[in-house]
Amino acid sequence: MFACKNCGGNVKFDIKSGQLACEYCHSLFDPYAYEDKTSDAEVQKDFDATIFTCPQCGGEILSTDDTAAGFCSFCGASTVLYSRMQKEHKPAYIIPFAKSKDDCKQAYMSLMKKAIFAPKELKDPKFIDGFRGIYMPYWTYYVTQKAPISLPAKRSHRSGDYIITDHYRLEGDLDAYYKGLSYDASSSFDDSISEKLAPYDVKNMKRFTPAFLSGFYADTADLPSTIYASDAMDAACTNTVSEISKEPAFTGLSVDSDSAALSPLSLGTTVKETDYSMFPVWFLSYRNKDRVAYATVNGQTGKVVADLPISVGKFLLGSLIAAIPVYILLCLLTVLTPGMTLTIVGVLAIIANICYSQELTMIAVKEAGTEDKGRIAKEQPEALGAINNRRRLKAAKKATKTIKKKTNTSFIAYFILFIFVIQFVPALFAIIAGIGGSFGNADGSLILFVILTIISFIFSIRAFSSFDRMPGHKGVAGLIFGMVSMLIGDAVLLFQPVLDAWYYGAAFIIIASVLITLINVIRAFNVLTTRKLPQFATHKGGDDRA
């Protein structure tokens, strides 16, 4: 704890003033006024910190206060126990918080106003008040590039029926310097979150002193700086090529981004210096059983990055409301025959199984965490060489971007699919009850429906194969029910009973299985938008973390 020099009360960092403020007499002090002046001749490499360890996930949070923490940023636990004092490696720089908690909450609520299907808990003022300021550890790299370069480039144009490509060599001397390329130094902080929160303005970095931490928490650094050194050099190379392409002399030319001439070695890229820094993040976690969703706000710029799961109940209700006009329109435009009904619901079953299989495949890719180098470094240290392979890392990040793109677009697709599935339910109820009258006999759809059944089975089996990579997933019963319902449809079309109720009854069973599958699709979607509950059993204390 830092004591007020006037009254002895507790002083904490005040975001608005950028000074330490006393809670009692409201005096303001320069944070550097609380540095240890007895050792000016010796550079201090450590500072005292209280370590709070979460009993549920093992996450460790640093604090310079002597009060017990009441919130775990990583898993959302309401209590944090077991405090101990220890020496922590002293960061070189820090970016102080510039956005207050009120600023953070307003930015978050602006995002949540657009998330109409988000669980109500995520919009509860009491929940939102749980935002905590936490300094995340970052490695900051200083990269230089100095070498003669020869870059391959090309320009294409059409001449008649031919496309002519001219090849060039862009030659010159490169002399570039990049200051402050930053990557998070904590395995608990997902790389995908830290990348989205960027950029931080490193021009506003200040020399670190523990007084800046007063009133906030800080995560511990547990990753060596070597992990992201190659990423920093690749980022420098990418930016250098982009800047070169903007030169007037190179207008209209495209540079081959996969060329060996663009490698860090060819461009004379070197990491000259690495600093351990701390950057501000407002952190909030929403826990649902063994999954957790994060809401983070850049404490310097106010940029919001949030995992947004959806409420199954809200999604079903929204689909039901949207299905009403569609149902009325279809009643006016179409007449359902028994064979047509079974064929349509069979197609819907295939679409639902395709969606489910796709979701499970994307979950398996995401849960592997191949794009999160920090996580792999902690869980699979022997894989460090592989994750630093440029091509493998590029492929992993491409797969992750594909998942994000599909996740965003599939949400709308599922909503439309739900609308068309739900509108069949009242129609079939009406037909079975006799309101719709008799619609004639089956129209010879057996062969087509058998084909639909085979396709549905293929995607169901594909979904089954993904379950072993997702322990605890509860979609097996739904898939089995779906497969059985399709067989019932085959049986009805094969024996061709006289009563239409058999056909519509089979269709009703298939629609029920489709609804169950789509509910599982939404649950799988929520797995994609949340994360594994972190475990920090491998965390150690002391200098080896930074």
Side-chain angles (χ1 to χ4, degrees), residues 26 46 113 121 131 137 156 178 202 204 213 218 239 324 328 331 335 380 389 405 418 425 429 456 498:
H26 307 295
D46 303 302
K113 287 178 181 178
E121 295 88 349
F131 268 105
S156 298
Y178 292 90
V202 294
N204 291 328
L213 302 184
N239 192 72
I324 293 175
I328 295 174
C331 284
V335 177
Q380 305 173 40
N389 182 291
K405 184 177 180 180
F418 255 107
V425 178
F429 265 124
S456 178
V498 177

Side-chain angles (χ1 to χ4, degrees), residues 325-358:
V326 177
Y327 171 64
I328 295 174
L329 180 63
L330 290 179
C331 284
L332 295 174
L333 299 178
T334 63
V335 177
L336 292 176
T337 65
M340 181 192 301
T341 302
L342 274 178
T343 301
I344 292 175
V345 297
V347 171
L348 291 175
I350 288 178
I351 295 174
N353 282 345
I354 291 174
C355 292
Y356 195 27
S357 176
Q358 181 187 49

Side-chain angles (χ1 to χ4, degrees), residues 1 56 154 157 190 197 228 249 253 321 333 340 354 367 415 457 476 495 530:
M1 184 183 80
Q56 295 196 39
K154 58 185 178 182
H157 64 278
D190 196 298
L197 277 178
Y228 294 107
L253 296 178
I321 294 173
L333 299 178
M340 181 192 301
I354 291 174
E367 295 296 280
F415 187 68
F457 273 38
V476 177
F495 292 105
T530 56

Side-chain angles (χ1 to χ4, degrees), residues 242-255:
S242 176
E243 291 299 319
I244 290 176
S245 301
K246 295 177 183 178
E247 289 294 322
F250 302 141
T251 301
L253 296 178
S254 60
V255 180

